[in-house]
């Protein structure tokens, strides 16, 4: 890969790193899905109601069509998680420590505060208390799910240490098994009048974390043992790219078809929901990056850490919000707004990291090693 010299710094900067067309224009695709979903929802209400009524088991509240689509998104992502990377958790412990503190002790709570502040007070005159409760719940669910797959893209764009990024993602996924449900239950109940059905929340954890992680790990282990790691990463995983993309787009179409009446009644709520999400994203990215610099963590670890602190596992968040409150709920809409803002926001964080790598001592600015 070619590199060029940044005139503001003696550090080498990558010149050829690019997102693929889907990643680069994800916000555009989401916008088209909003339009398509709303049109379908208004044109074929009986068909939409039929799809809405299908559940994954009686009383689970998990919509079957959306569950299948989300599995097609999440399982390939979980196949990228290498549990053997856990043997490297002791490598540069400061970077991992900062990542975990921000992700689990700051991020969900800061999001709960911002959502409560904006939806209860700043925007309180433009929405009902019920709508505010739903939006608060959706934002909390979004923040309680640290990013998994897309972090590898953001790490790549900032010359992050790929091996260390894998460690951070793997540890976060395992912690998510334990903390995702309790944090959501505690924060949603504490900041809104909603009561989270714990049994349904546990259904979501099993359906969208345990099963995909176990399936992805088993498939990864078996295929690598049979065909080798290079074939698995270079040949097998890329084949799932189109499947994952189509599943994501169809999921969004379904959600917006279920949300058609809500969106047409109050389209400006999409913009209102985005504001607290943006506040907490930039705050947590800045906090993580600043702590990494203060602790003199290498840039190749600090940049991905800031990106992990800023981004969300929106596929899991969408699935959980749907399971808890329904695909037509304000909570589901709030998680989908997270998808809408994800790429432009994360690209802006990547740009800041690339422009400020000279903040780190030269000997600490090192190229990632896979």
């Amino acid at each position: 890969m070619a590199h060029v010299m940044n005139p503001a710094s003696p550090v080498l900067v990558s010149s050829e790193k690019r997102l693929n067309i889907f990643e680069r224009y994800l916000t555009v695709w989401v916008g088209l899905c909003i339009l398509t979903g709303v049109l379908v929802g208004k044109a074929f209400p009986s068909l939409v109601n039929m799809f809405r009524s299908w559940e994954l088991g009686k009383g689970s509240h998990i919509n079957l069509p959306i569950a299948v689509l989300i599995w097609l998104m999440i399982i390939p992502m979980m196949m990228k998680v290498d549990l053997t990377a856990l043997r490297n958790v002791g490598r540069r412990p400061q970077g991992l420590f900062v990542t975990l503190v921000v992700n689990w002790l700051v991020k969900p709570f800061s999001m709960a505060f911002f959502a409560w502040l904006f939806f209860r007070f700043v925007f309180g005159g433009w929405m009902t208390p019920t709508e505010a409760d739903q939006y608060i719940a959706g934002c909390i669910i979004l923040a309680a799910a640290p990013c998994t797959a897309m972090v590898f893209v953001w790490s790549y764009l900032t010359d992050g240490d790929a091996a260390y990024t894998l460690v951070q993602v793997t540890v976060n996924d395992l912690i998510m098994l334990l903390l995702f449900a309790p944090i959501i239950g505690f924060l949603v109940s504490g900041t809104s009048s909603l009561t989270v059905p714990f049994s349904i929340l546990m259904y979501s954890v099993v359906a969208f974390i345990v099963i995909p992680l176990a399936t992805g790990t088993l498939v990864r282990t078996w295929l690598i043992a049979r065909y080798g790691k290079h074939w698995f990463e270079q040949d097998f995983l890329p084949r799932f790219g189109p499947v994952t993309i189509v599943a994501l787009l169809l999921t969004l179409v379904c959600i917006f078809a279920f949300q058609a009446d809500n969106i047409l009644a109050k389209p400006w709520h999409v913009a209102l929901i985005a504001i607290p999400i943006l506040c907490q994203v930039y705050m947590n990215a800045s906090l993580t990056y600043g702590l990494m610099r203060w602790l003199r963590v290498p840039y190749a670890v600090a940049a991905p850490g800031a990106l992990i602190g800023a981004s969300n596992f929106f596929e899991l968040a969408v699935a959980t919000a749907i399971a808890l409150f329904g695909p037509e709920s304000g909570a589901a809409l709030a998680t989908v707004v997270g998808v809408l803002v994800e790429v432009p926001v994360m690209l802006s964080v990547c740009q800041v990291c690339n422009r400020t790598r000279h903040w780190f001592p030269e000997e600490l600015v090192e190229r990632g090693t896979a």
Side-chain angles (χ1 to χ4, degrees):
M1 177 172 294
H3 291 78
V4 296
M5 190 71 72
N6 183 345
S9 167
V11 181
L12 291 178
V13 181
S14 172
S15 63
E16 295 183 358
K17 294 191 172 183
R18 300 176 64 87
L19 297 174
N20 65 43
I21 190 170
F22 171 74
E23 295 163 342
R24 191 179 313 130
Y25 299 110
L26 178 59
T27 300
V28 175
W29 309 139
V30 173
L32 292 175
C33 288
I34 293 175
L35 179 60
T36 303
V38 169
L39 291 176
V40 170
K42 297 305 291 183
F44 307 101
S46 58
L47 179 64
V48 170
N49 288 332
M50 181 185 69
F51 277 102
R52 183 185 289 149
S53 66
W54 293 351
E55 289 188 358
L56 183 67
K58 187 176 181 180
S60 70
H61 291 221
I62 298 175
N63 183 263
L64 179 59
I66 291 179
V68 172
L69 291 170
I70 288 176
W71 279 330
L72 291 175
M73 287 188 287
I74 294 179
I75 290 176
M77 296 176 185
M78 291 302 191
M79 285 192 289
K80 297 180 180 180
V81 175
D82 183 3
L83 295 181
T84 63
L86 292 175
R87 60 174 174 257
N88 297 318
V89 293
R91 179 173 163 238
R92 298 172 185 153
Q94 290 173 317
L96 182 61
F97 174 76
V98 171
T99 299
L100 296 180
V101 166
V102 173
N103 271 351
W104 298 106
L105 297 182
V106 177
K107 185 176 180 180
F109 298 90
S110 65
M111 183 72 264
F113 169 74
F114 282 124
W116 171 81
L117 175 65
F118 279 96
F119 297 134
R120 283 277 178 241
F121 298 100
V122 180
F123 304 146
W126 297 333
M127 60 186 62
T128 66
T130 299
E131 290 170 339
D133 282 343
Q134 288 284 326
Y135 299 156
I136 290 170
C139 288
I140 290 170
I141 293 169
L142 186 68
C147 190
T148 298
M150 286 297 287
V151 163
F152 295 110
V153 176
W154 312 133
S155 178
Y156 167 75
L157 291 177
T158 55
D159 282 326
D161 184 326
Y164 197 85
T165 302
L166 180 59
V167 171
Q168 291 172 305
V169 169
T170 301
V171 173
N172 266 300
D173 281 349
L174 294 179
I175 292 176
M176 191 158 49
L177 289 171
L178 301 176
L179 296 185
F180 183 69
I183 285 177
I184 289 175
F186 172 73
L187 289 178
V188 170
S189 299
T191 56
S192 72
S193 61
L194 297 175
T195 300
V196 176
F198 196 75
S199 61
I200 296 176
L201 184 54
M202 291 311 299
Y203 274 129
S204 300
V205 171
V206 172
F208 301 118
I209 302 179
V210 177
I211 291 177
L213 182 59
T215 303
T217 300
L218 290 174
V219 171
R220 176 188 179 91
T221 302
W222 181 73
L223 289 177
I224 288 178
R226 187 174 180 86
Y227 299 106
K229 189 173 183 178
H230 182 272
W231 175 86
F232 177 79
E233 293 181 347
Q234 301 301 319
D235 296 331
F236 181 73
L237 283 181
R239 297 176 188 174
F240 280 93
V243 174
T244 301
I245 291 169
V246 171
L248 173 60
L249 296 180
L250 288 177
T251 300
L252 296 177
V253 170
C254 288
I255 291 171
F256 286 115
F258 297 157
Q259 291 273 356
D261 291 335
N262 283 341
I263 293 173
L264 290 177
K266 40 190 177 295
W268 66 92
H269 280 203
V270 172
L272 297 182
I273 292 168
I275 293 173
I277 293 175
L278 293 175
C279 288
Q280 75 91 24
V281 163
Y282 285 122
M283 189 202 81
N284 287 304
S286 301
L287 176 63
T288 307
Y289 202 51
L291 288 173
M292 295 281 194
R293 184 190 180 196
W294 179 58
L295 293 172
R296 295 179 63 82
V297 173
Y299 169 81
V301 171
L307 295 160
I308 292 173
S311 56
N312 302 295
F313 191 176
F314 54 76
E315 295 88 352
L316 172 63
V318 169
T320 303
I322 290 171
L324 289 175
F325 303 109
E328 71 288 343
S329 66
L333 179 61
T335 58
V336 172
V337 173
V339 187
L340 187 65
V341 303
E342 175 85 3
V343 170
V345 169
M346 295 312 300
L347 286 177
S348 70
V349 176
C350 287
Q351 186 177 42
V352 170
C353 289
N354 282 326
R355 289 179 177 272
T356 58
R357 62 177 70 202
H358 60 278
W359 287 359
F360 294 79
E362 187 175 349
E363 69 273 13
L364 294 183
V365 181
E366 50 187 64
R367 183 70 178 92
T369 55

